[in-house]
Amino acid sequence: MLKTTISPIFSSFRGKPKTSRFIFQAFNKVVVQDDTTTPSVRRNASTNLTTLHQGPPTSAYVHLPFCRKRCHYCDFPILALGSSSNVYEQGKEDDPRITNYVNLLVREIKATRTDFDANPNLETVFFGGGTPSLVPPKLVSLVLDTLSLNFGLSPDAEISMEMDPGTFDGGKLKELMELGVNRVSLGVQAFQDELLKACGRAHGVSQVYEAIEFVKECGVENWSMDLISSLPHQTLGMWEESLRLAIDSQPNHVSVYDLQVEQGTKFGNLYTPGQSPLPSETQSAEFYKTASSMLRGAGYEHYEVSSYSKGDFKCKHNLIYWKNKPFYAFGLGSASYVGGLRFSRPKRLKEYTNYVADLENGAANWCGNGDVDLKDVATDIVMLSFRTSKGLDLKEFGEAFGSEVVNSICKVYEPYVESGHIVCLDDMRREVTSDEVKTLGSNDEVKIEDHVRYLRLKDPDGFLLSNELISLAFGVVAP
């Protein structure tokens, strides 16, 4: 599952593994503007949260935490079944650990009672983990049926599942497709056996090619491949080879993540970020630039900081995150975003079991408690928008938080527009020059969002300066 180091927002996002240490890290230093001259989000914000996409969710994240073993970089809530686990083998008994967890998960879904005036059908479901492809199809069916009964499920819903090589065959994949799974996220990570072994991955390169063949033979049209850069002992040549082989495999979507070394993991005990055998920050930046160049050169659109797609194969579920729209979440350690509040479920199975029981008894709140902090909402929108190629929509932001805040953001970014790290675009996505931006910013009678609709980070150089650039916006939005 994907998680970044920004707190609190990105702890709710699932995928694999964590995104770059030099892209969207937690900010230890924020540039703070003088509150007597800087317009406050609280003073200027609209109270209409509908403007901020706070209607009923149309997406659900489902956490299936099972893995054969824990990878050396992983600090996510998982349940390791053992390296020999291979649940698609004929005649294998169902693992009670999986059955019991799924029954608990179903109880949580049933106990989630919404009070929205209308509950639209779910348009996306994402099974993340862990390794969801370890779960028998009949249990996946139980989860999907429960979601459909409780919330409704659109006939053309995008239903994604993370799958690892060596955990499924063609027969199992066809069963999942018959249930409605129509998007596969294949956790390849690398095309070198020595790197996979060094990461503690349970599969090898031969199983990677086997899994790709299963996906193609079964006719999965919408599938993605995950790769990791900045691994121990990884060279630029290895990274280029992995990218080339990924492109040759012809997925519709590629996700590229930079390794994060977390405390408490095996890598955290063995390595120090930036020191050999891990690459330096400069080398990691070169890996990122190489991925951007090679994948865009192969016809992929770099639509999000870690995501590349062809045609209309952007991940619809992840776009819900990047657009800061609400979503349900179910399962161990998962985090939902409903009504402007982010709420994380317990990461330990015992505590999660107690939470579900409390939810059934009315003693727990499934969407969190407290008031919506508009500063948090505003900073979330800035962070998430700058992850995407679309960028920050200044008109929408201005309608929600006030034109004065927009003007202040544009003012603080003028040097970076001039340097080319930030791109300004009008309604037609035509570039607005730095001189034009300065002229607009100097005229107090002009609403800059009427002329500059979007701010976006330049690919790749702007993305690589995103820590500094986003911290500047935080200084304006949440002084």
Side-chain angles (χ1 to χ4, degrees):
M1 60 185 176
L2 179 146
K3 183 174 73 172
T4 74
T5 53
I6 289 186
S7 179
I9 183 169
F10 290 139
S11 61
S12 62
F13 299 157
R14 309 304 184 191
K16 298 187 200 135
K18 298 186 181 178
T19 46
S20 171
R21 63 176 173 274
F22 51 85
I23 300 174
F24 298 103
Q25 294 181 1
F27 305 116
N28 296 318
K29 182 177 180 180
V30 173
V31 178
V32 179
Q33 307 293 326
D34 183 351
D35 194 47
T36 61
T37 59
T38 302
S40 166
V41 160
R42 291 191 189 280
R43 291 198 300 267
N44 289 274
S46 163
T47 57
N48 181 9
L49 286 179
T50 302
T51 304
L52 306 177
H53 311 297
Q54 295 309 315
T58 59
S59 294
Y61 171 80
V62 180
H63 190 60
L64 300 177
F66 307 102
C67 286
R68 288 180 286 183
K69 62 177 184 175
R70 182 179 289 277
C71 297
H72 298 339
Y73 52 75
C74 176
D75 71 338
F76 299 125
I78 69 162
L79 301 174
L81 303 177
S83 298
S84 61
S85 297
N86 192 351
V87 298
Y88 66 77
E89 289 178 352
Q90 294 297 319
K92 183 176 178 67
E93 294 292 330
D94 289 345
D95 190 318
R97 293 170 293 181
I98 298 179
T99 302
N100 292 340
Y101 174 83
V102 170
N103 288 334
L104 183 63
L105 177 67
V106 165
R107 286 170 53 195
E108 183 194 358
I109 296 171
K110 289 180 177 179
T112 301
R113 304 175 183 91
T114 67
D115 56 1
F116 296 110
D117 293 335
N119 286 289
N121 289 342
L122 296 176
E123 299 291 342
T124 74
V125 176
F126 195 102
F127 289 100
T131 307
S133 48
L134 286 169
V135 177
K138 65 181 180 181
L139 294 179
V140 175
S141 177
L142 177 60
V143 175
L144 286 172
D145 288 346
T146 306
L147 287 172
S148 182
L149 285 171
N150 273 55
F151 304 103
L153 192 59
S154 294
D156 59 349
E158 176 193 86
I159 302 178
S160 302
M161 177 174 282
E162 292 181 344
M163 307 181 77
D164 278 0
T167 64
F168 68 97
D169 60 4
K172 185 173 187 178
L173 181 53
K174 286 180 180 178
E175 285 188 68
L176 291 168
M177 292 172 68
E178 289 170 0
L179 297 176
V181 175
N182 51 25
R183 184 177 184 276
V184 170
S185 179
L186 191 62
V188 171
Q189 318 310 1
F191 279 88
Q192 296 81 26
D193 276 320
E194 61 268 35
L195 293 184
L196 293 172
K197 184 177 181 180
C199 289
R201 298 291 293 177
H203 69 265
V205 174
S206 63
Q207 290 173 306
V208 168
Y209 286 115
E210 184 182 59
I212 292 170
E213 193 62 29
F214 290 149
V215 169
K216 292 185 175 182
E217 286 179 351
C218 291
V220 180
E221 185 180 8
N222 189 358
W223 71 285
S224 178
M225 182 183 292
D226 288 358
L227 296 175
I228 308 177
S229 65
S230 301
L231 296 171
H233 303 288
Q234 188 178 39
T235 65
L236 182 58
M238 289 177 174
W239 181 232
E240 289 173 339
E241 180 184 47
S242 286
L243 289 166
R244 184 176 67 255
L245 292 171
I247 291 167
D248 290 346
S249 301
Q250 298 182 317
N252 313 103
H253 189 283
V254 179
S255 294
V256 173
Y257 304 114
D258 187 80
L259 176 70
Q260 290 291 289
V261 177
E262 301 292 345
Q263 291 184 352
T265 65
K266 187 169 183 178
F267 275 2
N269 295 329
L270 291 174
Y271 305 127
T272 301
Q275 296 183 14
S276 182
L278 295 178
S280 67
E281 191 160 307
T282 299
Q283 289 171 316
S284 293
E286 190 61 34
F287 286 159
Y288 186 79
K289 291 180 179 180
T290 298
S292 177
S293 175
M294 289 183 65
L295 290 168
R296 287 189 295 150
Y300 290 88
E301 178 188 352
H302 193 181
Y303 73 97
E304 187 271 332
V305 65
S306 298
S307 306
Y308 301 78
S309 71
K310 285 191 173 182
D312 296 325
F313 290 99
K314 299 177 180 68
C315 180
K316 294 178 182 178
H317 183 84
N318 285 346
L319 285 172
I320 294 295
Y321 301 152
W322 315 141
K323 293 177 181 179
N324 204 43
K325 291 187 176 182
F327 55 91
Y328 298 110
F330 305 101
L332 188 72
S334 65
S336 56
Y337 180 48
V338 181
L341 296 174
R342 301 187 187 276
F343 176 68
S344 295
R345 284 134 194 84
K347 294 182 178 181
R348 295 183 180 275
L349 187 58
K350 182 179 180 180
E351 284 79 5
Y352 173 63
T353 302
N354 293 337
Y355 160 75
V356 173
D358 288 343
L359 191 64
E360 291 173 321
N361 296 329
N365 188 335
W366 63 271
C367 61
N369 298 298
D371 297 326
V372 176
D373 189 321
L374 290 175
K375 286 188 177 182
D376 286 346
V377 174
T379 54
D380 285 356
I381 290 173
V382 171
M383 275 192 293
L384 292 167
S385 297
F386 276 139
R387 289 188 68 100
T388 68
S389 60
K390 179 182 177 181
L392 177 64
D393 188 324
L394 294 180
K395 186 173 183 180
E396 286 188 1
F397 197 80
E399 288 172 352
F401 301 109
S403 292
E404 291 183 1
V405 178
V406 171
N407 286 339
S408 294
I409 289 175
C410 291
K411 185 69 176 178
V412 80
Y413 279 148
E414 280 183 6
Y416 298 94
V417 175
E418 188 171 358
S419 67
H421 290 93
I422 290 180
V423 179
C424 298
L425 303 169
D426 66 13
D427 273 321
M428 303 300 293
R429 309 251 347 144
R430 293 173 300 207
E431 188 168 347
V432 181
T433 69
S434 60
D435 288 341
E436 291 174 305
V437 173
K438 285 183 179 179
T439 301
L440 292 168
S442 63
N443 189 341
D444 294 337
E445 297 181 0
V446 171
K447 292 176 65 175
I448 197 166
E449 63 266 35
D450 289 340
H451 303 273
V452 179
R453 180 65 184 267
Y454 303 99
L455 293 181
R456 58 157 300 195
L457 303 186
K458 183 76 171 179
D459 181 13
D461 294 329
F463 284 139
L464 292 171
L465 271 186
S466 56
N467 283 357
E468 179 179 351
L469 297 177
I470 295 177
S471 68
L472 287 172
F474 280 7
V476 173
V477 172

